[in-house]
Amino acid sequence: MHRRDFLKSTVGLAAASALSRAAQAEEAFLPRPGTWRNYEIITRIKIADPKGKTQAWIPVPSVNEASWFKSESSRWATNARSATLKYDPKYGSGMVHAEWAEDEAAPLIDVISRISTQDRAVDFSKPSTPTPLSDGERQLYTAPTALIPTDGIVKQFSEQIVAGIAGDFEKARRIYDWVVENTSRNPETRGCGAGDVASMLETGNLEGKCADINTLYVGLARAAGLPTRDVYGLRVAPSRFGYKSLGVSSSSVTRAQHCRAEVYLSQFGWVPVDPADVRKVALEEPPGNLSLNDPKVIALRAALFGSWEGNWIAYNFGHDIVLSGSNGPALDFLMYPEAETAMERLDSLDPATFKYLIFAREVTA
Amino acid sequence: MKRIRRKVGSSISIILILLFHWTGTRANGLEAWSGDDISPFQLHDMTGSTIALSNYRGSPVVVHFFATWCRPCREEMDSLQRLVEMTGEGRLTVLAISVAEPAIRVRRFFDIRPINFPVVLDPDRAVARAWRVATLPTSYVLDGQLRPKFVVRGTLHWDDQSIAQTLRMIGTASQ
């Protein structure tokens, strides 16, 4: 992001509440819970160039939240010597770990997962008494991770953004508005981005995709003391609200990874937020390069603080994931299939040479 | 009216503070190093060969931490290449350290952007952590005895004449 643009958008912040009011009158994007949808996701891996010991780790849905998501079952078919379901001990992020014999010329695995999900929508006019977070959960979701420091420059920015604001709801909303106003989507970013929050703030380059923009939200909110988490997942169906950029157009979803975020507010529980999709709509919805004042963007911006559509599946909330059986480094997050041969780890952002394919379809329960 | 004034005041305060951050620390780019000595390291390059920092004792070294996903890093890589070309062989070394990326991704990155200085891999951020690298890009300028003289947090136009002159002075002082 250029400094001049930053200046422009920051001056525009004063108009944020006016935009919110406009959005209320404009809403075309209205996720509402009530209809559960069931999906089947097939991840197919065929290691293109196996060398010696070959292993793969395939993420499977492992989020269970009674009000919006059930991870139901995962099964697999493979020529691997062994394949087992494993969970990282800190976040419970699930993955199938497959190991092939060293002489296996064509390592293959299909992992088939089923989930149920529905839209989410928080009614901020009706505070409630949700289950409070345990001390452990609060600590986990306010803690720093390898790429989300909560001190230094992240703390400095966070303090400035919420300066003078009392109340967790207001802080969470203010950070959301700041992220929407000051970031931009870069279609050239590989995968979903790296999510290196401190580097983004240090360089002033606040562009990227969901793993950058939503993780920036998570970092700034955690630094403000708000329990916040990334939710790593995959788009699996078109948006029924007519936003082409917020869904997929076919059953092939190999490159449809998308992470969302949640912030915990004591009167509402976990609240869905997705500033990255606001910027995606602004960039991609026809005719493209929409301003934040465009009615479509205004509607989305209002809706994506407090609701999201159930055309997406959640894998996990994890960070700094150690892959069982690997001597390689921990993953910053687990959203793509991972694999390594005796020579090296493969590039999970390059499904064509890796190789992997992901398909999704809606199914009856 | 008071509320509006407070809101405008708050926005201006954020602008000033953040503009200071994104411009003030970049005014000169090279920050004099005031910390302790740094740890030596050995890392693998993209072909698996081991490269030690100590191999480069004798002339100034720019140790440059980067990632292929980082757009400012990509732009800076070109200026580092020009710096090496300007300076001439043996008078300065640039040693680029890819942080937390698989070798195959880094190889493909440089296949289409060839450079003529070594690139090594820090897959688990061990060296980046030891060198207290908080953001990417970050670069250290070491003298011929491999003592840190400057740190650059963020990007720099390495081929700028004033930077090249500073590096030449470090080289002369090292001899």
Side-chain angles (χ1 to χ4, degrees):
Chain A
M1 178 177 149
H2 298 295
R3 289 174 195 131
R4 192 181 303 155
D5 295 338
F6 169 76
L7 181 62
K8 201 190 304 173
S9 62
T10 304
V11 169
L13 283 173
S17 59
L19 290 177
S20 297
R21 283 195 300 277
Q24 284 165 11
E26 190 63 48
E27 278 180 351
F29 184 88
L30 277 171
R32 289 291 176 265
T35 305
W36 285 84
R37 302 168 77 182
N38 306 287
Y39 295 100
E40 183 176 82
I41 303 96
I42 302 173
T43 304
R44 175 166 298 160
I45 289 182
K46 179 181 178 183
I47 305 295
D49 189 16
K51 291 187 179 75
K53 184 181 178 185
T54 300
Q55 308 180 77
W57 298 263
I58 301 98
V60 296
S62 42
V63 168
N64 281 291
E65 297 288 318
S67 65
W68 64 275
F69 199 87
K70 298 171 195 163
S71 295
E72 290 176 344
S73 66
S74 289
R75 57 194 167 87
W76 48 90
T78 180
N79 59 1
R81 184 174 58 193
S82 71
T84 49
L85 188 57
K86 296 196 172 151
Y87 295 91
D88 99 275
K90 192 169 183 182
Y91 297 90
S93 305
M95 67 200 91
V96 175
H97 176 208
E99 293 180 273
W100 284 272
E102 293 194 11
D103 60 353
E104 177 53 63
L108 295 166
I109 187 168
D110 277 2
V111 176
I112 302 109
S113 300
R114 282 200 174 210
I115 65 96
S116 298
T117 190
Q118 65 170 345
D119 288 358
R120 301 176 72 186
V122 177
D123 185 347
F124 292 118
S125 70
K126 294 178 181 165
S128 62
T129 51
T131 309
L133 290 182
S134 67
D135 290 345
E137 288 171 313
R138 183 169 291 276
Q139 190 175 5
L140 182 63
Y141 296 120
T142 51
T145 73
L147 285 187
I148 312 177
T150 53
D151 58 2
I153 192 167
V154 182
K155 182 75 172 168
Q156 183 187 339
F157 269 66
S158 179
E159 283 178 349
Q160 290 304 320
I161 292 165
V162 301
I165 296 176
D168 287 352
F169 173 88
E170 290 76 10
K171 287 179 184 175
R173 177 70 205 208
R174 181 70 181 84
I175 294 169
Y176 174 82
D177 283 330
W178 191 91
V179 172
V180 168
E181 296 265 356
N182 289 286
T183 59
S184 62
R185 181 176 174 86
N186 181 352
E188 294 175 6
T189 298
R190 292 196 76 207
C192 289
D196 187 336
V197 173
S199 292
M200 291 173 75
L201 293 172
E202 183 69 42
T203 61
N205 180 31
L206 300 186
E207 62 182 28
K209 290 185 181 168
C210 58
D212 301 306
I213 295 171
N214 286 344
T215 303
L216 179 61
Y217 180 84
V218 169
L220 292 169
R222 285 190 184 187
L226 303 172
T228 318
R229 60 191 181 187
D230 285 296
V231 195
Y232 294 99
L234 183 72
R235 298 185 205 271
V236 290
S239 169
R240 68 181 190 281
F241 300 108
Y243 284 80
K244 287 182 183 171
S245 59
L246 298 186
V248 292
S249 56
S250 79
S251 61
S252 175
V253 293
T254 303
R255 293 178 180 272
Q257 289 81 9
H258 177 57
C259 56
R260 292 172 167 174
E262 293 180 296
V263 59
Y264 186 87
L265 301 174
S266 58
Q267 291 183 305
F268 303 103
W270 284 110
V271 171
V273 292
D274 196 343
D277 264 358
V278 181
R279 297 305 323 198
K280 188 169 197 285
V281 162
L283 179 70
E284 295 179 8
E285 280 299 314
N289 291 313
L290 305 178
S291 83
L292 292 183
N293 294 323
D294 185 278
K296 269 191 172 180
V297 182
I298 289 172
L300 242 295
R301 177 174 173 170
L304 290 179
F305 184 87
S307 68
W308 71 37
E309 188 179 358
N311 62 339
W312 166 92
I313 65 128
Y315 284 129
N316 59 66
F317 307 114
H319 289 275
D320 307 331
I321 309 284
V322 175
L323 296 177
S324 159
S326 170
N327 294 322
L331 302 175
D332 295 320
F333 51 83
L334 175 64
M335 187 162 55
Y336 316 97
E338 301 285 342
E340 59 189 38
T341 67
M343 301 297 291
E344 62 184 355
R345 186 166 290 177
L346 305 185
D347 188 352
S348 58
L349 300 184
D350 189 0
T353 55
F354 184 110
K355 299 175 169 175
Y356 66 82
L357 295 166
I358 308 176
F359 304 95
R361 65 188 181 111
E362 190 162 0
V363 294
T364 53
Chain B
M1 193 63 184
K2 251 185 196 169
R3 192 179 295 167
I4 293 171
R5 209 175 293 143
R6 205 178 307 139
K7 195 168 266 181
V8 170
S10 165
S11 290
I12 289 171
S13 145
I14 293 176
I15 293 164
L16 291 176
I17 287 164
L18 301 185
L19 275 182
F20 173 78
H21 182 84
W22 284 338
T23 58
T25 58
R26 303 277 172 274
N28 149 339
L30 290 171
E31 270 178 53
W33 177 253
S34 58
D36 300 331
D37 279 354
I38 39 76
S39 318
F41 61 77
Q42 289 191 344
L43 291 169
H44 294 306
D45 68 9
M46 292 181 285
T47 66
S49 300
T50 301
I51 291 187
L53 176 62
S54 57
N55 294 351
Y56 300 103
R57 191 179 297 278
S59 60
V61 182
V62 176
V63 178
H64 175 67
F65 292 85
F66 77 102
T68 64
W69 51 261
C70 158
R71 196 174 83 170
C73 302
R74 294 200 295 268
E75 291 161 359
E76 192 176 20
M77 200 62 75
D78 295 336
S79 82
L80 282 163
Q81 171 69 14
R82 288 192 294 273
L83 170 69
V84 170
E85 289 165 359
M86 282 165 55
T87 311
E89 200 173 334
R91 300 177 65 183
L92 171 84
T93 298
V94 172
L95 181 56
I97 301 182
S98 160
V99 179
E101 291 196 282
I104 189 169
R105 190 179 301 162
V106 182
R107 276 202 303 275
R108 286 187 180 141
F109 176 83
F110 286 110
D111 280 349
I112 55 174
R113 293 176 189 80
I115 40 94
N116 62 358
F117 48 83
V119 178
V120 293
L121 307 168
D122 182 22
D124 57 1
R125 301 190 178 90
V127 174
R129 284 199 186 97
W131 285 47
R132 298 175 188 276
V133 172
T135 66
L136 296 176
T138 291
S139 306
Y140 289 82
V141 178
L142 314 181
D143 69 9
Q145 299 306 308
L146 304 181
R147 293 173 302 212
K149 291 295 176 188
F150 296 100
V151 61
V152 181
R153 302 177 216 273
T155 58
L156 188 68
H157 293 293
W158 290 95
D159 50 341
D160 184 279
Q161 285 299 336
S162 67
I163 303 296
Q165 174 65 24
T166 303
L167 296 176
R168 272 195 292 273
M169 286 166 58
I170 292 172
T172 305
S174 300
Q175 288 165 356

